[in-house]
Structure formats: structure tokens, C-alpha cells
Amino acid sequence: MLVQSTTQTAPPGYEPSTAARILEVRTVPYAIPYSKPLKFASGSIAIADNVLVEIVTSDGVVGIAEAPPRPYTYGETQASIVAVIEQIFAPAIIGLSILDREQVRSRLARTVGNPTAKAAINMAMWDAWGKTIGTPVHSLLGGFTDQLQVSHMLGFDDPDVVAAEAIQLRETLGISSFKIKVGRRPVHLDVAVCKAVRGALGPDAELYIDGNRGWTAAESALAIRQLEDVGLSRVEELCPADDVLGRRWLVSQCPIPFVADESAPTPADVTREILAGAATAVSIKTARTGFSDSLRVSHLAEGLGIEAVIGNQIDAHIGTVCSLIFGASQEITARSAAELSNYLDMADDLLQEPLLIENGRMRVPDGPGLGIRLDPEKVTRYRVDL
Amino acid sequence: MLVQSTTQTAPPGYEPSTAARILEVRTVPYAIPYSKPLKFASGSIAIADNVLVEIVTSDGVVGIAEAPPRPYTYGETQASIVAVIEQIFAPAIIGLSILDREQVRSRLARTVGNPTAKAAINMAMWDAWGKTIGTPVHSLLGGFTDQLQVSHMLGFDDPDVVAAEAIQLRETLGISSFKIKVGRRPVHLDVAVCKAVRGALGPDAELYIDGNRGWTAAESALAIRQLEDVGLSRVEELCPADDVLGRRWLVSQCPIPFVADESAPTPADVTREILAGAATAVSIKTARTGFSDSLRVSHLAEGLGIEAVIGNQIDAHIGTVCSLIFGASQEITARSAAELSNYLDMADDLLQEPLLIENGRMRVPDGPGLGIRLDPEKVTRYRVDL
């Protein structure tokens, strides 16, 4: 019955494209522990309990992507991602071409929410297509540049601990852009962390903060004033967007870009929040908008004349590569350091080759599709039964 | 010197993608007369004096597109298109991959204006890529549907002549959507045409009007009132966008979508005009935004929540196919009838196979790239020396 209702979105006489068809959509829930759990205002992450999504084509190609469940942000769980893909999405798109992205998008849109499940299907289709023709997805998306500067996320901890972590990352990986998680009470706890990091790194590092809606608007305004001499490049989601007037009051007095992230996960949300004065920049996460809707958000941001930065959905390795590929493919996202390094805190991965950060930068893999290869032994080892 | 300044936009260490490279960019100015010249408020067209643009790749593939000079809209002439491509654009992009679309865009953007010259290069790159991998560009763009309903443009003439033309097009080609060119003085001249066409076609046909900025805001408001019982689906550019407050006053009282066309040729212009209340919908023309920036405009329109319709830059055959391919690839543009039939009034074309309108619809060609093939003999015959 679900199949019937979704296929009605095809226009009369619609013929799928002649490229390889979607034969099967597989989901592989897996779990890899974090060696260092990340703590932030809206939650904490101790284990990567993601869903590997595989699209098998009629040519025998397997496109991959992954969906990270973020119940405190999108309401998805590992089990819900598996269920919606197996029960609703797969039946709706099997038989379509791997190039029928807009038709697939239209069919998936009949189900509300489930952004990371939808995004993983979109990215697995792009990977399958890239592998089919032996071309990197990064090039298929327009190929603006082949590398991005990396920004690292620093979670809650004492000022000296956070400052030491930043110094260590600069020394070992050359990273010089840091997002500091804030939103604790009282405000001076986080102000002290920011000052300590700035003191340790000196004036040339880029620092910015992310509150994950932990503060009130007034606390946020106080923090911005107290952090004035720290020289932040931007701030993100300091207070809840649902505190509508408080947020607008805060943004109107903020001297640096105010980034909407979880408050603007879709293009329509971006328009609403920007026009409402609730933000002046936007974060793009391929984990929730895949490649096709990340293009929508970046084109929208470009057209509205606001900054767009590549954020991190606490991405594991596959998700990190997706962020990297997309961010480097477009001029607007290649301008800023991208949040790509959360995978560093994971105890292991599913890949044959490790990801690499050198001189604070990541290069786009040059293989076909996403340019990465799964290690079947690791996939078997970390697979979980739901 | 020009090459040097444009190549500086490449980020440090940038390596072009590994797909086929741009070896040569050729321009072929040509002229094909119209059997029936088109008259409208901002000008008239008696001859298609376009520029065929060919991109030759290192694989020996030739990607094609065409640029229509519209001096009264964009300030370009046939000679200016040839000159800017040969002297500035070609040297700036030769050696890049045919997939480096965003890098090419960034380099071309260093030259102001010249929208149809830039768009033709973008579309020729897409055609070359599609031909290289044996895949229709329509599929590469996302492949929402494989056909579009056709809307036909009716130029200035007496009411009975225009009505007879509409009837004839419905009888011969099944077309039931018509754009009527208006903007003459006094207003009742055009009102009479609209009423005659509605009377001839009956209630089921779609009718809308395009003023090409010919009326004042007050004349436009009068026309909208006088046309109320004609049942128009939308209106376009009735008065100049530079009559800023008059236009806003007009749009605020307009009961149907008011389309911005020549007043919003770029994404930033779309944002400006929509937020200023100067329009409530937007026209997309691949002739001026190619495929990549047409994606930008359609994604922007989608994100802003406004309609986007496929307009006609008095396109010849190649341009018509580009409009068709793009319009059918995206859900937002596939919703409305697309203006695809201006080529009907041309005395000949450059193609091996004719374009076809059947039952009021055009199907996307299913060949690689744009899916069309040039007739070398015709190209030689219609080529002109500048």
C-alpha cells in the first residue's frame, strides 16, 4: 500500500532514465565506540551507532553512505532509520535509475522528517553513480577545489584541558580553526575556556563558539560581550530559535555572523530563520541534507547573500568524507574551515584506508564515487542486531 | 595578461579534476531568418543571429550550446559574445576539466555581465560531459520527469489574428497554454486581444500575459482589473522594476502571481526583487543562467517558496532543447507549462532531426548530452562573418 501511494508522484508517462537501476537498498546498523566521548549542551556521544546504507544497482555497483541517529536533534534512532528505509523508502525507489535523484527526492518527501535516512539514500545514489562511471562525486558536484581547511570541535571540559587539546591538535595535525562548545551555566565557565584557548593559541587561530541552544538570549548577549576581546569569527545557536523574540533581539546586536544550524535544517527553514532575523549565516550538514539538498541550501544561502559553513553532525568516517566532498565542490562552502575532525575520537572505522589531516587540511579522495572503500571484515565486526 | 589574472582565482594547490579537459572553445556566429517576426514591447526579432558555442575536449568530444544576443535585455551583441568568449573566457578555462564547472564559473565571474556567453559555455560543458559518458544531461541534472507541457508566446497583432493563431496552434500541435505579449497603449488594445483569445479557446486553456515593461504601474493595474474575467494564471513584467514603488504597489494588489523575468536574471536579483515586493514568482531562462545557475535560481525559488517557470529568450532550436532539458529535470519547473515554441517561427535550424511538439508536449531527447546532433552542412550554410 505504501508503494502504491508513493509511486503516484510520478507524472503520467514518466519513464525512468536509462542509467543503472536501483536493485536493492540495504541497511547495516553498526556501533563503534568513541575513545573520547564528546559532551555538549544538547547531549553527549559515547558511541557511533550509525546506519550504513548501501544501494545496489543493476550493474552490480554498490553505493554507500551513512546515517547518524540524532534523537535530540531530528528525532531519529538507529532503529527508526533502518525501519523507514526498509519499509517505506526502499519499496518506493527500487526500479528507478540511480540518476533519478529528483524523482527519488519527491517520493521520499511524502514521508515527513527522517532527514538523515533520506540524506544517506541520496548520497549512496551519488556514490553509486560515481563508481559506475569511474568519477569522483566531488567532480560531479562541480569541483570548485580539491581540499578544505579543517576546523576541530572542542567539547565541554576545564579551561586548561581544552586549551591543551587545541595545542595538541595544532602540533600534531596543523589545525588552527576551532569550534568551542558552550552553553553551560554560569556563562563564565565557557568564557574562561574561550579565553584559555585564545591565550594558548595566540591571535592567528580561528575560534568560534556553538551553544547548542544551551543559554538564554540574555546569557548569550552577556557571553558575546565578555568574549569581545577573544576575537571570535562567528557564533552558533547560542539560544533556542523558539525563543523567537529573544533570539531576534540577540542576533540584531551580534557583531559577528550568527549561524543557524539545527534551527534551519531545510531550505524553507533557512528562509524563515534568516528573514525573521534569527540568524545571519547557515550551517550545511550533508548528514541531514545529502548532496542534492545541500546544493539547495548552499544555492539558497548564496542567493540570499549569507555565509554557509560545513558543520559536523558528529560524523563518523563515511559522513566526514561526504562533508569534505560537498564542501570542496562549492565556492561558498570552500571559503571557511569545515568541521571534519570528529572522527578522530572514534576507536575504529569501517574503511580500508584511514582518513588523513595534514597541515590542518583534508584533501578530497580521488577515487570514483566517494573515493573510499569499506573493509568487509570491519563491517562484520561492528554490525549490530537491532 | 587576462589569463594570468583569471587563473589567480584557483585556490593554492588546486588540481583540475581528472575527467576530459577543455582543449578549445569555438564560436560560430550564425543567422537564420524568422518566417514570422515576433513583436513585443521591448523589441522585435526578425532573424536569429545567435552564436553557436562548441567546447572541444581532450577526448575529442564536442559539447555545444548557443548564445542569443539580446542587446535590449542584457547588452550583448553577436560580436560581443564572440569577442568575450575568444579573448577572455576561452584562455581562462582551457586546460580545466569539463567537470570543473564551479571553478569555471568563478573564473568567468571576474568579467561582469555577458550572461548568455557565460551560460552557453556552462551548457556546452554539460553537453560535452554527457556525450563523454553516453548519458543525457537531463538525467545528470536529476531527471524529475521526461517531458514538459508547452506554452506558446503570442506577439502583438489584431485580436482576431492572435486568436486565430492560438486556435491553429491548438489544432495542429495540441498547445493549450499561451503567453500573450502586452504593453501597448492604450491598454484596451491588449485587453481586446486577451478577451478574443479566451473567447476563441474557451475556459480550459491557460492564458497569461507579459508586458516587457511596456506599461506604467497604473496602466498595469487597470489592465489587471479589465482582464479579471479572462482568468489569467499569471502576469509578467507589466511595468518596469525600476519604477520601484509603483511596481511594489502594483504587485501588492495583484491577485495572481507576478513573474519577474528580465528584472531578476541572477540569484541575487531574485532575492532583491522578491523581498522588495517587486514580484511573487520568477522566470528561469537557461539562455542566461545555463544549467548550473538555473539550478541556483530554481533552488533559491524553492527555498523562498515562490513559483519558477521556464521562460523563452526567443530561443532557437538548441536553446529550446536546453530549456526543455532543465525544466523537466526539476520538480518546481516541471509543474508549469514551459515556453518552448518560439523556434516554430524560424525558417530553418542547424539540426539533423527536427524538434517535435505532440499533444502540446515536448519529450526530452534520450541521446547523450543534449541529445541533439548538428547538421554540418547547415552550420556552414548559416555561418556568418563578423
Side-chain angles (χ1 to χ4, degrees):
Chain A
M1 202 180 74
L2 283 161
V3 180
Q4 199 176 16
S5 70
T6 51
T7 51
Q8 285 172 1
T9 56
Y14 176 74
E15 286 291 329
S17 315
T18 48
R21 282 165 204 281
I22 299 171
L23 213 62
E24 195 187 347
V25 184
R26 294 197 293 234
T27 55
V28 182
Y30 73 90
I32 295 179
Y34 274 82
S35 46
K36 174 178 180 297
L38 185 74
K39 292 176 225 159
F40 45 97
S42 56
S44 71
I45 301 265
I47 194 160
D49 54 345
N50 294 357
V51 179
L52 172 67
V53 176
E54 297 182 314
I55 288 189
V56 187
T57 80
S58 51
D59 287 343
V61 168
V62 182
I64 64 167
E66 67 180 333
R70 298 289 172 260
Y72 38 83
T73 313
Y74 309 120
E76 293 172 286
T77 63
Q78 198 176 33
S80 82
I81 291 168
V82 170
V84 80
I85 290 177
E86 292 193 348
Q87 295 167 23
I88 302 186
F89 294 163
I93 67 174
I94 283 171
L96 289 180
S97 153
I98 52 168
L99 282 177
D100 288 340
R101 297 184 305 266
E102 296 305 308
Q103 184 60 225
V104 166
R105 179 177 187 271
S106 173
R107 296 184 184 193
L108 302 193
R110 295 177 65 93
T111 301
V112 166
N114 295 282
T116 75
K118 291 173 180 172
I121 286 177
N122 177 265
M123 294 189 286
M125 286 175 71
W126 277 99
D127 182 43
W129 170 237
K131 285 171 172 163
T132 301
I133 56 168
T135 304
V137 168
H138 164 261
S139 301
L140 297 174
L141 289 168
F144 177 69
T145 181
D146 58 357
Q147 51 184 285
L148 288 180
Q149 199 197 333
V150 174
S151 173
H152 186 75
M153 192 185 293
L154 300 163
F156 289 167
D157 217 321
D158 293 334
D160 53 340
V161 176
V162 179
E165 187 187 347
I167 286 287
Q168 195 227 337
L169 281 155
R170 189 169 67 177
E171 282 173 2
T172 53
L173 301 175
I175 293 174
S176 62
S177 173
F178 295 91
K179 163 187 265 193
I180 302 172
K181 289 287 193 180
V182 300
R184 291 180 295 181
R185 295 194 166 88
V187 165
H188 67 72
L189 283 177
D190 293 325
V191 171
V193 169
C194 294
K195 292 191 182 221
V197 175
R198 174 60 78 201
L201 292 175
D204 290 343
E206 178 187 35
L207 299 184
Y208 57 104
I209 59 174
D210 179 5
N212 290 110
R213 301 156 284 145
W215 285 331
T216 64
E219 286 168 334
S220 305
L222 174 67
I224 289 173
R225 288 196 303 277
Q226 293 186 350
L227 288 166
E228 200 172 346
D229 59 355
V230 171
L232 301 177
S233 60
R234 57 182 185 261
V235 301
E236 181 174 322
E237 296 284 2
L238 297 184
C239 72
D242 279 357
D243 294 350
V244 181
L245 295 189
R247 172 86 164 236
R248 187 189 299 186
W249 166 83
L250 174 65
V251 171
S252 72
Q253 66 182 267
C254 185
I256 50 180
F258 193 108
V259 180
D261 174 19
E262 58 266 36
S263 64
T266 71
D269 290 329
V270 170
T271 301
R272 275 186 202 102
E273 295 303 294
I274 296 295
L275 290 191
T280 49
V282 68
S283 173
I284 293 179
K285 292 179 171 173
T286 50
R288 69 180 170 219
T289 39
F291 293 132
S292 297
D293 278 14
S294 291
L295 266 182
R296 285 179 156 82
V297 176
S298 65
H299 287 163
L300 176 61
E302 227 181 35
L304 293 172
I306 57 170
E307 283 185 45
V309 296
I310 294 294
N312 194 311
Q313 200 65 63
I314 325 289
D315 293 312
H317 295 67
I318 303 172
T320 299
V321 169
C322 290
S323 298
L324 169 62
I325 284 171
F326 180 80
S329 76
Q330 304 297 308
E331 185 166 15
I332 185 172
T333 46
R335 283 188 202 129
S336 309
E339 298 168 6
L340 298 170
S341 59
N342 276 107
Y343 76 89
L344 289 171
D345 294 330
M346 287 175 63
D348 202 356
D349 59 58
L350 301 180
L351 305 182
Q352 292 189 27
E353 301 90 13
L355 303 186
L356 219 59
I357 299 175
E358 286 180 311
N359 301 316
R361 305 183 77 86
M362 286 183 90
R363 293 189 79 90
V364 174
D366 53 14
L370 302 179
I372 51 176
R373 289 181 299 174
L374 291 178
D375 179 335
E377 192 276 322
K378 286 183 178 176
V379 174
T380 305
R381 190 191 320 161
Y382 293 114
R383 180 176 198 135
V384 294
D385 292 321
L386 294 184
Chain B
M1 202 182 73
L2 284 160
V3 180
Q4 198 177 15
S5 71
T6 50
T7 51
Q8 285 172 3
T9 56
Y14 176 74
E15 286 292 329
S17 315
T18 48
R21 282 164 203 281
I22 299 171
L23 212 62
E24 195 187 346
V25 184
R26 293 196 293 235
T27 55
V28 182
Y30 73 89
I32 296 179
Y34 274 82
S35 46
K36 175 177 180 298
L38 186 73
K39 292 177 224 159
F40 44 98
S42 56
S44 72
I45 301 265
I47 193 161
D49 55 345
N50 294 358
V51 179
L52 171 68
V53 175
E54 297 181 313
I55 287 188
V56 186
T57 81
S58 52
D59 287 344
V61 168
V62 181
I64 64 167
E66 68 181 332
R70 297 290 171 259
Y72 39 83
T73 313
Y74 309 120
E76 293 172 286
T77 63
Q78 198 176 32
S80 83
I81 291 168
V82 170
V84 79
I85 291 177
E86 291 194 347
Q87 295 166 25
I88 303 185
F89 294 163
I93 67 173
I94 283 172
L96 288 179
S97 154
I98 52 168
L99 281 176
D100 288 339
R101 296 184 305 266
E102 296 305 308
Q103 184 60 225
V104 166
R105 179 177 188 270
S106 173
R107 295 184 184 193
L108 302 193
R110 295 178 65 93
T111 302
V112 166
N114 294 283
T116 74
K118 292 173 180 171
I121 286 178
N122 176 265
M123 293 189 287
M125 287 175 70
W126 277 99
D127 181 44
W129 171 237
K131 285 171 172 164
T132 301
I133 57 169
T135 304
V137 168
H138 164 261
S139 301
L140 297 174
L141 289 169
F144 177 69
T145 181
D146 58 357
Q147 52 184 284
L148 289 179
Q149 198 197 334
V150 174
S151 172
H152 185 76
M153 192 184 294
L154 299 164
F156 290 167
D157 218 321
D158 292 334
D160 53 339
V161 175
V162 179
E165 187 186 348
I167 286 287
Q168 195 227 337
L169 282 155
R170 188 168 69 177
E171 281 173 2
T172 53
L173 301 174
I175 293 174
S176 62
S177 172
F178 295 92
K179 164 188 266 193
I180 302 172
K181 288 289 193 180
V182 301
R184 291 180 294 181
R185 296 194 164 90
V187 165
H188 66 73
L189 283 177
D190 294 326
V191 170
V193 170
C194 294
K195 293 190 182 222
V197 175
R198 175 60 79 201
L201 292 175
D204 291 343
E206 177 187 37
L207 298 184
Y208 57 104
I209 58 174
D210 179 4
N212 291 109
R213 300 156 284 145
W215 285 330
T216 64
E219 285 167 335
S220 306
L222 174 67
I224 289 172
R225 288 196 303 277
Q226 292 187 350
L227 288 166
E228 200 173 345
D229 59 355
V230 173
L232 302 177
S233 59
R234 56 181 185 264
V235 301
E236 182 174 322
E237 298 284 3
L238 297 184
C239 72
D242 280 356
D243 294 350
V244 181
L245 296 189
R247 172 86 165 236
R248 188 188 298 183
W249 167 83
L250 173 65
V251 171
S252 72
Q253 66 182 268
C254 184
I256 50 180
F258 193 108
V259 179
D261 174 19
E262 57 265 37
S263 65
T266 72
D269 290 329
V270 170
T271 301
R272 276 187 202 101
E273 295 303 295
I274 296 296
L275 290 191
T280 49
V282 68
S283 172
I284 293 179
K285 291 178 171 174
T286 51
R288 68 179 172 220
T289 40
F291 293 132
S292 295
D293 278 13
S294 291
L295 266 182
R296 285 179 157 82
V297 176
S298 66
H299 287 164
L300 177 61
E302 227 181 36
L304 293 173
I306 57 169
E307 283 184 44
V309 297
I310 295 293
N312 194 311
Q313 200 64 63
I314 325 289
D315 294 312
H317 296 67
I318 302 171
T320 299
V321 169
C322 290
S323 298
L324 168 62
I325 284 172
F326 180 81
S329 77
Q330 305 297 308
E331 185 166 15
I332 185 172
T333 45
R335 283 187 201 128
S336 308
E339 296 166 8
L340 298 171
S341 59
N342 276 107
Y343 76 88
L344 289 172
D345 294 330
M346 286 174 63
D348 202 356
D349 59 57
L350 301 180
L351 305 182
Q352 292 188 28
E353 301 91 13
L355 303 186
L356 220 59
I357 299 175
E358 285 181 311
N359 300 316
R361 305 183 77 86
M362 285 183 91
R363 295 189 79 89
V364 174
D366 53 14
L370 302 180
I372 51 176
R373 289 181 297 175
L374 291 178
D375 180 334
E377 192 275 321
K378 286 183 178 177
V379 174
T380 305
R381 190 191 321 160
Y382 293 113
R383 179 174 199 139
V384 293
D385 291 320
L386 294 183

